[in-house]
């Protein structure tokens, strides 16, 4: 059965955060950032990532909220707005200094390899574990990938699992750069060049990944 794909609404916040927290439970990058307090912090972290992006209408979900793709539009990470600062201030109060220090380390490592060109950034891609391998991740990616191709703009993300890297490579994210993350897992920055309709691959497999990157910009610091 085909899923309805739509832009997320503010009221989707809590179930989307639950989907993301469940999907990233075994993700090495989130384990590095949130540590032993994953169970307490993951939902709040996912909710903050949702809050940062919902205003730009760049969060796409399945209608049952079993899968979500959170994007930053080109240029959106420059000079965080005051409301973004307040979102991360709330998270700082929940997470504590040690977690914030690890998140800042992660963020700095990602920023070091991000290109200067304008690009769509896939901050989160997540599917509930029990709904994986239904093609939902591919479906929620599609709207922005189509728009990026139409406007001739690259798409980028980072991932810390070889399985996810292979998933993205099959969807055109074939340009990889290693990210040096001190004390953290092997992580790669992946870039997808815009393609024309004639070059777009036809994907018939039903595969999903647990998640993508989760860069939050420079507003979250210790």
């Amino acid at each position: 059965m085909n899923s309805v794909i739509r832009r997320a609404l503010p009221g989707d916040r809590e179930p989307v955060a639950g989907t993301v927290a469940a999907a990233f439970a075994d993700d090495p990058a989130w384990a590095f950032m949130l540590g032993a307090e994953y169970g307490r912090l993951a939902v709040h972290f996912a909710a903050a990532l949702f809050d940062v992006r919902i205003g730009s209408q760049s969060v796409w979900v399945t209608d049952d909220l079993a899968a979500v793709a959170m994007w930053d539009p080109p240029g959106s990470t420059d000079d965080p707005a005051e409301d973004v600062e307040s979102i991360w201030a709330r998270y700082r109060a929940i997470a504590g200094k040690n977690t914030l220090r690890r998140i800042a380390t992660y963020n700095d490592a990602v920023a070091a390899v991000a290109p200067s060109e304008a690009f769509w950034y896939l901050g989160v891609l997540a599917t509930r574990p029990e709904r994986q391998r239904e093609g939902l991740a591919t479906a929620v990616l599609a709207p922005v990938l189509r728009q990026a191709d139409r406007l001739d703009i690259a798409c980028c993300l980072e991932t810390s699992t070889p399985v996810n890297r292979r998933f993205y490579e099959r969807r055109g994210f074939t340009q990889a750069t290693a990210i040096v993350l001190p004390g953290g897992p092997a992580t790669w920055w992946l870039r997808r060049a815009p393609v024309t309709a004639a070059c777009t691959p036809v994907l018939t497999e039903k595969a999903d990944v647990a998640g993508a990157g989760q860069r939050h910009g420079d507003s979250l610091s210790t």
Side-chain angles (χ1 to χ4, degrees), residues 1-18:
M1 182 173 61
N2 292 331
S3 296
V4 174
I5 307 302
R6 60 172 176 82
R7 284 189 172 91
L9 302 171
D12 297 328
R13 180 181 189 268
E14 290 188 12
V16 165

Side-chain angles (χ1 to χ4, degrees), residues 58-74:
S58 56
V59 179
W60 290 85
V61 295
T62 55
D63 202 40
D64 60 3
L65 307 180
V68 56
M70 301 188 198
W71 295 86
D72 291 334

Side-chain angles (χ1 to χ4, degrees), residues 111-202:
V113 301
S116 58
E117 67 172 327
F119 60 90
W120 278 94
Y121 172 72
L122 179 60
V124 175
L125 178 64
T127 305
R128 293 200 66 85
E130 69 272 16
R131 298 293 306 280
Q132 292 178 14
R133 303 199 65 79
E134 295 181 22
L136 302 182
T138 301
V140 293
L141 282 177
V144 169
L145 295 186
R146 286 195 298 265
Q147 182 177 356
D149 290 342
R150 187 170 63 252
L151 299 177
D152 197 34
I153 297 174
C155 296
C156 299
L157 58 93
E158 81 276 358
T159 186
S160 299
T161 73
V163 171
N164 287 0
R165 180 176 172 179
R166 290 192 292 271
F167 170 91
Y168 290 116
E169 286 175 344
R170 293 193 294 270
R171 283 144 186 86
F173 291 84
T174 56
Q175 301 174 27
T177 301
I179 295 174
V180 178
L181 181 58
T187 303
W188 303 273
W189 178 266
L190 304 180
R191 180 183 183 275
R192 175 188 182 273
V195 297
T196 64
C199 298
T200 302
V202 177

Side-chain angles (χ1 to χ4, degrees), residues 52 76-88 216 218-219:
V52 167
S76 63
T77 59
D78 297 333
D79 298 325
E82 183 177 352
D83 57 340
V84 173
E85 294 280 6
S86 66
I87 290 167
W88 291 117
H216 46 68
D218 296 328
S219 60

